[in-house]
Amino acid sequence: MSISSVLRRWLTALSGVLLGSVTAVPALLFTLAAVLALALARILGRRGLPLKAAVDAGALGLSEWEIRRITRFHGTLHTDPLTARRCRWYLAGRWMIGLLGTGVVLFLTSCLVVAGSMVSAWVLSGRWGLIENSDRVDGGLVALVSLPGILLIFVAIAGVAGVGSLDRWFAVQVLGRQTDRLLHQRVAELTSSRDHVVDAIDDERRRIERDLHDGVQQQLVAVGMLIGRARRAEEPEKVHELLTHAHVASQEAISELREVANRVYPIALDQAGLQAAVETMAERASVPIQFTYELTETLRPAVETVLYFVISEAVTNAAKHASPRLVEVSVTHQRFDRVLATIVDDGPGGADPCGSGLSGLSRRVAAMDGILTVHSPVGGPTVVTASVPCG
């Protein structure tokens, strides 16, 4: 770190301490006024509620100003959501730090003034003789007091940075440790997300097993039975008929197997991306779909997969339970580097967010740090949204 950088940071801290010295005065006056006002409000009872509300509003306003000042001059400050009680306690101690900063700045100023006056008097009297002999400053005296003077100046300079750090530390201690709280919250979210991943994988495995057992397996069993009957038949016409049925059943089994594979992971999604996969799905859907895609960049495969299955499941549920005239699907940008998928159908509404299909989607989205919401009032429309981070 260069000297200019250190000097710039110190001057920034000095500015913050000076401004904090000024704001200590309203903090002190507010503390005194708040004590009297709250005592009066307690005496008045319900009639004192407006007085207490004014004190709370003042505490929040002054605390927000102090937080902006500390963030500007002493570093980023994260706190819990402000409450009037915490803000009152904060302001009750904040004015003392402001007075401490005032004392440090005055001490530094006096040290610099004394040092400057002694050095200037010594130089002027010794070098140019501009001062009378009786007023001359002895060089030995200057040398004697220079070392403790330099130490005092250094302590005062360090004290400025110390007051700034103390100011920030006090705000964090009184107004809350949001960093620690967010860390614990993030750990809880990741733990929950891990459980959602396990549940989503288990749901997907069960769905694949169900599709294979109820669809493809049954059709393959039918093919085997038809071929077995054809082998036992004696009439050529009967054999030909049974083999024809077996061939048709085998083609249906192949189509069903392709559908199962497409539900596991659509080929179009892997080859052409989310937009093409949703367009293909819309062409095959049994209800009209109006699709809007506003993204210009390519998403990660995992994000595209989650959004595709949310859209596919929502459209399937709408077609199965709501019989809508139109389903509107849109994929758009959202703030904070997120992508938003919205599915709206004009059906009668009343969808259950806790149903097996929607709850499974919720776990799948949560596994990607996303949020799935379902709004389906009776009478419609049903709106399903999925917000997922892009990165």
Side-chain angles (χ1 to χ4, degrees):
M1 185 179 295
S2 63
I3 296 177
S4 60
S5 177
V6 173
L7 180 60
R8 185 166 54 251
R9 292 181 60 180
W10 184 84
L11 291 175
T12 302
L14 177 61
S15 302
V17 171
L18 289 173
L19 185 57
S21 301
V22 175
T23 59
V25 176
L28 174 58
L29 296 177
F30 172 82
T31 301
L32 297 175
V35 171
L36 295 176
L38 292 177
L40 183 59
R42 179 171 297 184
I43 295 173
L44 295 176
R46 298 188 61 179
R47 290 180 298 174
L49 291 179
L51 196 58
K52 183 178 182 300
V55 171
D56 292 344
L60 291 171
L62 288 176
S63 298
E64 290 176 354
W65 165 258
E66 293 291 351
I67 289 174
R68 288 196 294 269
R69 178 186 61 82
I70 293 173
T71 302
R72 170 63 180 85
F73 295 103
H74 303 305
T76 304
L77 178 63
H78 298 287
T79 65
D80 290 334
L82 297 180
T83 62
R85 179 180 176 83
R86 285 188 175 185
C87 289
R88 290 198 301 267
W89 281 109
Y90 169 68
L91 293 173
R94 165 68 193 87
W95 65 268
M96 291 185 283
I97 298 177
L99 295 183
L100 177 62
T102 303
V104 170
V105 172
L106 291 177
F107 179 67
L108 175 61
T109 304
S110 63
C111 288
L112 293 176
V113 169
V114 171
S117 62
M118 291 188 66
V119 171
S120 61
W122 173 62
V123 171
L124 293 176
S125 64
R127 251 177 128 172
W128 293 290
L130 299 179
I131 302 179
E132 298 293 336
N133 291 335
S134 59
D135 296 330
R136 288 188 179 182
V137 178
D138 186 10
L141 178 61
V142 174
L144 181 64
V145 300
S146 61
L147 181 59
I150 292 173
L151 291 177
L152 290 176
I153 292 175
F154 174 78
V155 169
I157 291 174
V160 170
V163 170
S165 298
L166 176 63
D167 205 355
R168 185 175 180 275
W169 174 85
F170 182 72
V172 171
Q173 295 300 316
V174 178
L175 299 178
R177 294 174 171 270
Q178 190 186 41
T179 303
D180 294 343
R181 183 178 63 82
L182 291 178
L183 180 60
H184 290 301
Q185 180 181 348
R186 184 58 177 164
V187 170
E189 289 176 353
L190 291 176
T191 302
S192 176
S193 178
R194 180 195 61 190
D195 296 337
H196 288 322
V197 170
V198 175
D199 292 339
I201 293 175
D202 187 63
D203 290 343
E204 191 69 17
R205 178 182 60 81
R206 292 178 182 273
R207 185 179 66 81
I208 294 172
E209 290 176 349
R210 185 173 59 251
D211 290 343
L212 292 176
H213 181 272
D214 297 341
V216 178
Q217 179 177 324
Q218 299 296 330
Q219 291 176 340
L220 290 178
V221 169
V223 171
M225 294 177 62
L226 289 171
I227 294 176
R229 290 176 58 189
R231 292 180 62 184
R232 292 191 300 270
E234 297 179 356
E235 300 178 0
E237 294 81 1
K238 188 65 174 178
V239 173
H240 178 72
E241 179 183 357
L242 291 173
L243 289 177
T244 300
H245 289 319
H247 180 263
V248 173
S250 67
Q251 294 299 316
E252 292 177 353
I254 292 174
S255 298
E256 181 67 22
L257 187 59
R258 286 173 179 168
E259 288 296 327
V260 172
N262 190 68
R263 287 194 293 269
V264 173
Y265 191 86
I267 297 176
L269 185 62
D270 193 25
Q271 293 179 345
L274 177 63
Q275 183 177 4
V278 175
E279 289 174 348
T280 302
M281 182 267 297
E283 293 174 357
R284 298 178 179 177
S286 58
V287 294
I289 296 178
Q290 179 180 332
F291 180 47
T292 304
Y293 189 87
E294 298 181 358
L295 304 183
T296 56
E297 72 279 4
T298 303
L299 300 174
R300 289 193 300 123
V303 176
E304 288 189 335
T305 302
V306 168
L307 294 178
Y308 174 82
F309 281 108
V310 168
I311 295 171
S312 177
E313 185 69 22
V315 170
T316 301
N317 288 341
K320 184 184 299 184
H321 303 292
S323 301
R325 295 187 300 272
L326 177 66
V327 177
E328 299 178 7
V329 179
S330 63
V331 179
T332 60
H333 278 289
Q334 198 178 19
R335 292 189 306 168
F336 308 116
D337 196 26
R338 299 176 73 90
V339 59
L340 179 67
T342 305
I343 305 93
V344 182
D345 71 72
D346 56 3
D352 183 11
C354 299
S356 59
L358 292 176
S359 61
L361 285 180
S362 180
R363 287 194 293 270
R364 184 190 287 267
V365 172
M368 291 293 297
D369 275 344
I371 301 174
L372 180 77
T373 60
V374 179
H375 181 68
S376 182
V378 176
T382 297
V383 181
V384 179
T385 61
S387 175
V388 182
C390 296

